[in-house]
């Protein structure tokens, strides 16, 4: 099979699997939306993923064979931005402030600095492409390494709640596809970081297998017996007692302590505002 055809096949497969990677957290963010809470999820992986997509899109614009890099990274920028917006809506105030600060530092200031410095300070196209290639490689490693904090949380809590298996699987496949694509086009800035991506992806899947059935220590909550008094019978008895003794009409709340507490809610005959 001719090399150009292999390049096209792995490039298309890389685009498809990358799209699956971007869609993998959909279930997580749907749960965030339904529960109206970020539930302890971290925004850092999505901020870094957005930054990486922005860098690779810029890198694709500088390359001659840019058609396979630009569309998927443009889609990635859109999807990651939507994830971050949802996170900002439902995250608590400290997490929201931290995310905004990261966005300004990473996606605005850092990307703006890289864009302006490589475009205006480096005039030779090949040198500019090399410099940007190294930068993209470094931040690709950051994208693959970002879930390490989640892996640490999995080991500490013995729970895979924050480690979606579909995302780990897609990351591994994505690393394989882009490794072979970079190798075939002799672009080692694309190929080499995906070696680490494959290793991290395998490590995440192994953690999922190890801890998916782990049982958490559950602290038993003591059961409290609750005796509910028949209010209808109580009121009938009270009315009968009032007629026999001539006692005034009183309303009281009885709080009983003991092994078998009884909670009594007395409904008055007159409305109390």
């Amino acid at each position: 099979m001719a090399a150009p055809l292999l390049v096209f096949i792995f490039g298309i497969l890389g685009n498809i699997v990358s799209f699956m990677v971007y869609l993998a957290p959909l279930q997580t963010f749907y749960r965030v939306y339904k529960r109206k809470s970020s539930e302890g999820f971290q925004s850092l992986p999505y901020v870094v993923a957005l930054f990486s997509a922005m860098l690779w899109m810029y890198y694709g614009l500088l390359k001659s064979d840019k058609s396979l890099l630009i569309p998927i990274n443009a889609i990635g920028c859109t999807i990651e931005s939507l994830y971050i917006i949802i996170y900002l809506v439902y995250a608590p105030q400290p997490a929201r402030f931290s995310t905004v600060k990261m966005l300004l530092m990473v996606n605005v200031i850092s990307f703006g600095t890289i864009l302006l410095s490589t475009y205006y300070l480096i005039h030779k196209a090949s040198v500019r492409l090399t410099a940007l290639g190294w930068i993209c490689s470094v931040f690709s490693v950051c994208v693959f390494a970002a879930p390490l904090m989640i892996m640490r949380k999995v080991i500490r809590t013995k729970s895979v709640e924050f480690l979606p298996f579909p995302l780990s699987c897609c990351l591994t496949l994505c690393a394989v596809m882009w490794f072979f694509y970079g190798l075939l086009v002799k672009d080692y800035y694309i190929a080499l970081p995906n070696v680490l991506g494959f290793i991290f992806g395998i490590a995440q899947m192994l953690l999922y297998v190890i801890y998916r059935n782990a049982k958490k220590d559950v602290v038993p909550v003591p059961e409290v017996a609750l005796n509910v008094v028949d209010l209808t019978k109580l009121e009938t008895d009270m009315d009968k007692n009032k007629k026999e003794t001539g006692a005034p009409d009183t309303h009281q709340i009885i709080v009983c302590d003991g092994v078998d507490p009884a909670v009594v809610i007395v409904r008055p005959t007159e409305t109390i505002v």
Side-chain angles (χ1 to χ4, degrees), residues 254-265:
I254 305 171
V255 180
C256 301
D257 295 327
V259 178
D260 298 319
V263 178
V264 180
I265 304 174

Side-chain angles (χ1 to χ4, degrees), residues 95-198:
R96 190 180 303 163
F97 177 77
S98 176
T99 301
V100 171
K101 186 167 65 173
M102 281 192 295
L103 283 170
L104 290 175
M105 293 296 296
V106 176
N107 301 90
V108 177
I109 297 176
S110 297
F111 180 75
T113 302
I114 292 170
L115 177 66
L116 294 175
S117 60
T118 54
Y119 193 80
Y120 289 104
L121 298 181
I122 303 176
H123 301 288
K124 192 174 180 180
S126 60
V127 177
R128 181 187 301 138
L129 190 64
T130 299
L132 187 59
W134 278 108
I135 294 172
C136 289
S137 297
V138 169
F139 282 99
S140 289
V141 173
C142 292
V143 170
F144 290 124
L148 284 176
M149 65 171 59
I150 301 176
M151 293 168 66
R152 179 186 173 192
K153 191 169 187 177
V154 169
I155 295 172
R156 189 176 68 250
T157 61
K158 295 181 174 57
S159 171
V160 294
E161 181 182 2
F162 300 103
L163 184 64
F165 184 80
L167 178 59
S168 302
C169 184
C170 287
L171 281 172
T172 307
L173 289 174
C174 185
V176 172
M177 299 304 169
W178 285 114
F179 169 77
F180 282 109
Y181 174 82
L183 198 64
L184 289 169
V185 298
K186 294 182 174 55
D187 191 331
Y188 301 109
Y189 303 118
I190 298 175
L192 293 179
N194 285 287
V195 175
L196 289 178
F198 176 77

Side-chain angles (χ1 to χ4, degrees), residues 1-14 68 177 180-181 184-185:
M1 191 178 290
L5 183 57
L6 282 174
V7 169
F8 179 77
I9 290 173
F10 278 106
I12 292 298
L13 290 175
L68 292 176
M177 299 304 169
F180 282 109
Y181 174 82
L184 289 169
V185 298

